[in-house]
Amino acid sequence: MENRKKVAFYTLGCKLNFSETSTIARSFQDEGFDRVDFEDIADIYVINTCSVTENADKQFKQIVKKALKNNDKAFVAAVGCYAQLKPEELVAVDGVDLVLGATEKFKITDYINDLSKNDMGEVHSCEIEDADFYVGSYSIGDRTRAFLKVQDGCDYKCTYCTIPLARGISRSDTMDNVLKNAKEISEQGIKEIVLTGVNIGDYGKGEFGNKKHEHTFYELVQALDEVAGIERLRISSIEPNLLKNETIDFVSKSRTFVPHFHIPLQSGSNTILKKMKRRYLRELYKDRVAKIREVMPHACIGVDVIVGFPGETDELFLETYNFLNEMDISYLHVFTYSERDNTEAVMMEDVVPMNVRSKRSKMLRGLSVKKRRAFYESQLGTNRTVLFEGENKEGYIHGFTENYVKVKTPWNPELVNTLHDIHLTKIDEDGMVRMEFRNVPV
């Protein structure tokens, strides 16, 4: 068995990428490879790239360097969104042997024959129109939660985004396959599944390789709620125009779906939303938050927002700031707008200077801290359920309640991957919440 080849993976970007890395890793294991940590010596290093932030581009070079430092004869392959968008840039990086685009990445083992280093890297990248078939995947990153991919690609034409260019049209897994994957996950003792996709509210589209719809996102949610053995289901991120009242009502009464929504806003100014070609205005967003609060007052609501989009004046930025400040939300993910080739926004006038972008970003990050603190304070004195994670961090174990409050208690290995009824008592100096156990494990 000594001569089994070793493969290591590095994933940049979103939860969807993590679920796809896991699926690619399983295909290597099926071919007789042993998976090792990226820090270890491996025969192949696979880097799953991201195109959403500027940093992801720069990080790639450093990661390649790191791989070759571990083993300078290793075979280095790049897959993922950046590999689809700019394969020539990646293959030009010293030491990269293979770059695979959107349709090829799941067949990576077919392209790796003799593992000898190439003088010149090879690129296999399809026209993105060919990315019209669906590969289901899920990741088991740690013992407590798994990311389950239900949908891929996007038909929206937001003016700042390259994802449709990197991942192709919107398409979905079949309902049967999603449920089969969910069962497989639950049989491994994992307590929480996070649903992921590029635009998961669009689920159903392309289920049969065409635009025909048999199922909707609402039906998917109903079916997953019935899967035995899953304790918790979390919807990762869903467009406000696709988050329907029926889904919100269902989650409020669901056995397994938790009261936590992450809803991209991107801007609180209708002027900017129109320039971004988002499919809603701020009034609809406000309505979604009000509906969630009506049926789940204790729900956690996270928001994505982009600052510094072309044409965002101080007044328009303040519209966003005030809109978010007044709304009953729980935290923000703040993205500083960064130019992307082949997008409409890159051609727009009234570019916001970088120093202004970073100042606005700082203001919204400060608002996020305030919002999270207020949300945590509103939860003190309530009884919740916590799922503990697997790491010992400075003598403490951390976990998340169903409504995404981060709690800590002194480290006890027996608590890992267990659910407990708890009472939230106070906020610690580090911003996490302290708790008391109410009884035996759930």
Side-chain angles (χ1 to χ4, degrees), residues 354-380:
M354 270 305 182
N355 61 330
V356 177
R357 292 185 212 183
S358 56
K359 189 177 128 197
R360 289 176 187 172
S361 175
K362 217 175 187 165
M363 278 175 74
L364 283 181
R365 289 201 169 97
L367 180 62
S368 181
V369 170
K370 193 178 98 176
K371 287 285 184 186
R372 195 185 294 269
R373 176 91 191 187
F375 174 61
Y376 281 9
E377 280 172 0
S378 76
Q379 296 304 299
L380 295 180

Side-chain angles (χ1 to χ4, degrees), residues 219-250:
E219 289 167 339
L220 176 73
V221 164
Q222 288 174 302
L224 281 166
D225 200 45
E226 302 288 315
V227 176
I230 300 169
E231 302 282 348
R232 280 183 176 182
L233 282 153
R234 207 177 282 280
I235 298 168
S236 63
S237 177
I238 184 164
E239 292 285 306
N241 50 305
L242 296 174
L243 177 56
K244 305 286 193 243
N245 282 351
E246 57 190 11
T247 305
I248 296 171
D249 283 328
F250 184 82

Side-chain angles (χ1 to χ4, degrees), residues 8-257:
F9 296 86
Y10 198 105
T11 306
L12 293 158
C14 63
K15 291 170 180 158
L16 185 56
N17 268 6
F18 280 92
S19 74
E20 291 181 343
T21 296
S22 285
T23 298
I24 293 166
R26 286 193 287 274
S27 73
F28 271 98
Q29 285 159 324
D30 293 345
E31 296 285 332
F33 285 81
D34 288 330
R35 184 176 181 175
V36 297
D37 283 346
F38 202 82
E39 280 60 46
D40 296 340
I41 292 175
D43 301 288
I44 303 185
Y45 292 91
V46 179
I47 304 165
N48 193 352
T49 63
C50 166
S51 68
V52 173
T53 61
E54 279 299 338
N55 298 348
D57 312 0
K58 299 189 184 84
Q59 277 174 303
F60 179 75
K61 286 181 180 159
Q62 293 160 339
I63 297 159
V64 172
K65 253 191 202 131
K66 203 159 126 188
L68 295 172
K69 202 171 159 189
N70 296 340
N71 176 8
D72 60 2
K73 295 185 175 59
F75 188 92
V76 177
V79 299
C81 290
Y82 198 42
Q84 173 65 36
L85 287 172
K86 300 204 168 170
E88 297 75 20
E89 276 185 27
L90 295 190
V91 83
V93 173
D94 260 3
V96 173
D97 299 293
L98 179 67
V99 177
L100 296 181
T103 60
E104 292 80 12
K105 63 187 169 193
F106 294 107
K107 304 184 293 229
I108 182 169
T109 52
D110 299 351
Y111 290 99
I112 291 170
N113 302 323
D114 59 355
L115 295 192
S116 52
K117 294 290 285 174
N118 297 328
D119 293 338
M120 281 289 295
E122 283 178 39
V123 173
H124 297 274
S125 169
C126 66
E127 290 303 315
I128 198 61
E129 290 73 35
D130 300 338
D132 57 0
F133 60 89
Y134 185 85
V135 177
S137 44
Y138 61 85
S139 81
I140 296 178
D142 57 38
R143 285 164 54 190
T144 50
R145 69 168 59 91
F147 300 117
L148 172 58
K149 174 180 159 187
V150 299
Q151 182 274 344
D152 200 350
C154 188
D155 292 341
Y156 287 10
K157 301 282 186 284
C158 300
T159 55
Y160 52 82
C161 186
T162 55
I163 286 174
L165 301 172
R167 283 185 170 272
I169 57 169
S170 179
R171 53 209 190 274
S172 309
D173 206 347
T174 62
M175 181 81 88
D176 288 348
N177 200 46
V178 173
L179 297 175
K180 178 180 85 67
N181 285 342
K183 280 195 189 77
E184 280 177 23
I185 292 168
S186 76
E187 282 158 10
Q188 298 188 45
I190 287 163
K191 301 278 197 286
E192 181 176 308
I193 292 178
V194 182
L195 301 185
T196 69
V198 173
N199 187 356
I200 63 174
D202 213 20
Y203 176 81
K205 194 182 276 185
E207 206 180 338
F208 303 98
N210 53 29
K211 290 294 177 209
K212 204 172 103 211
H213 267 263
E214 176 151 329
H215 297 104
T216 62
F217 182 69
Y218 176 51
E219 289 167 339
L220 176 73
V221 164
Q222 288 174 302
L224 281 166
D225 200 45
E226 302 288 315
V227 176
I230 300 169
E231 302 282 348
R232 280 183 176 182
L233 282 153
R234 207 177 282 280
I235 298 168
S236 63
S237 177
I238 184 164
E239 292 285 306
N241 50 305
L242 296 174
L243 177 56
K244 305 286 193 243
N245 282 351
E246 57 190 11
T247 305
I248 296 171
D249 283 328
F250 184 82
V251 168
S252 74
K253 303 182 187 76
S254 157
R255 178 182 72 84
T256 52
F257 276 90

Side-chain angles (χ1 to χ4, degrees), residues 175-429:
M175 181 81 88
D176 288 348
N177 200 46
V178 173
L179 297 175
K180 178 180 85 67
N181 285 342
K183 280 195 189 77
E184 280 177 23
I185 292 168
S186 76
E187 282 158 10
Q188 298 188 45
I190 287 163
K191 301 278 197 286
E192 181 176 308
I193 292 178
V194 182
L195 301 185
T196 69
V198 173
N199 187 356
I200 63 174
D202 213 20
Y203 176 81
K205 194 182 276 185
E207 206 180 338
F208 303 98
N210 53 29
K211 290 294 177 209
K212 204 172 103 211
H213 267 263
E214 176 151 329
H215 297 104
T216 62
F217 182 69
Y218 176 51
E219 289 167 339
L220 176 73
V221 164
Q222 288 174 302
L224 281 166
D225 200 45
E226 302 288 315
V227 176
I230 300 169
E231 302 282 348
R232 280 183 176 182
L233 282 153
R234 207 177 282 280
I235 298 168
S236 63
S237 177
I238 184 164
E239 292 285 306
N241 50 305
L242 296 174
L243 177 56
K244 305 286 193 243
N245 282 351
E246 57 190 11
T247 305
I248 296 171
D249 283 328
F250 184 82
V251 168
S252 74
K253 303 182 187 76
S254 157
R255 178 182 72 84
T256 52
F257 276 90
V258 294
H260 175 205
F261 294 88
H262 193 91
I263 315 169
L265 168 68
Q266 311 310 18
S267 175
S269 155
N270 283 343
T271 309
I272 297 293
L273 286 173
K274 287 173 185 168
K275 284 190 80 173
M276 288 176 164
K277 291 196 178 163
R278 300 292 287 156
R279 297 198 176 191
Y280 55 86
L281 295 174
R282 57 188 257 158
E283 291 73 17
L284 175 102
Y285 197 94
K286 201 171 179 178
D287 180 57
R288 299 297 74 208
V289 171
K291 172 65 185 172
I292 293 167
R293 285 280 168 249
E294 178 198 323
V295 295
M296 288 170 273
H298 60 296
C300 180
I301 302 175
V303 183
D304 285 344
V305 61
I306 295 172
V307 297
F309 190 78
E312 186 185 61
T313 60
D314 287 346
E315 292 74 25
L316 295 179
F317 169 70
L318 283 174
E319 262 188 54
T320 294
Y321 186 92
N322 294 331
F323 182 68
L324 289 165
N325 193 24
E326 286 155 20
M327 238 184 332
D328 190 357
I329 55 164
S330 316
Y331 64 89
L332 303 171
H333 280 172
V334 184
F335 298 90
T336 304
Y337 170 72
S338 66
E339 283 77 1
R340 282 282 168 269
D341 290 344
N342 303 316
T343 58
E344 270 188 69
V346 82
M347 310 302 290
M348 289 179 183
E349 292 171 1
D350 303 321
V351 171
V352 177
M354 270 305 182
N355 61 330
V356 177
R357 292 185 212 183
S358 56
K359 189 177 128 197
R360 289 176 187 172
S361 175
K362 217 175 187 165
M363 278 175 74
L364 283 181
R365 289 201 169 97
L367 180 62
S368 181
V369 170
K370 193 178 98 176
K371 287 285 184 186
R372 195 185 294 269
R373 176 91 191 187
F375 174 61
Y376 281 9
E377 280 172 0
S378 76
Q379 296 304 299
L380 295 180
T382 63
N383 297 329
R384 295 278 166 244
T385 308
V386 66
L387 173 59
F388 285 109
E389 316 256 312
E391 235 179 311
N392 180 346
K393 291 187 180 167
E394 293 169 8
Y396 287 93
I397 187 169
H398 298 159
F400 284 96
T401 63
E402 67 277 27
N403 61 341
Y404 216 54
V405 173
K406 193 170 189 184
V407 304
K408 63 188 273 198
T409 198
W411 170 254
N412 173 355
E414 286 169 19
L415 294 176
V416 172
N417 197 31
T418 59
L419 284 153
H420 294 266
D421 275 344
I422 57 163
H423 183 74
L424 301 177
T425 57
K426 64 169 190 168
I427 301 178
D428 226 349
E429 318 58 280

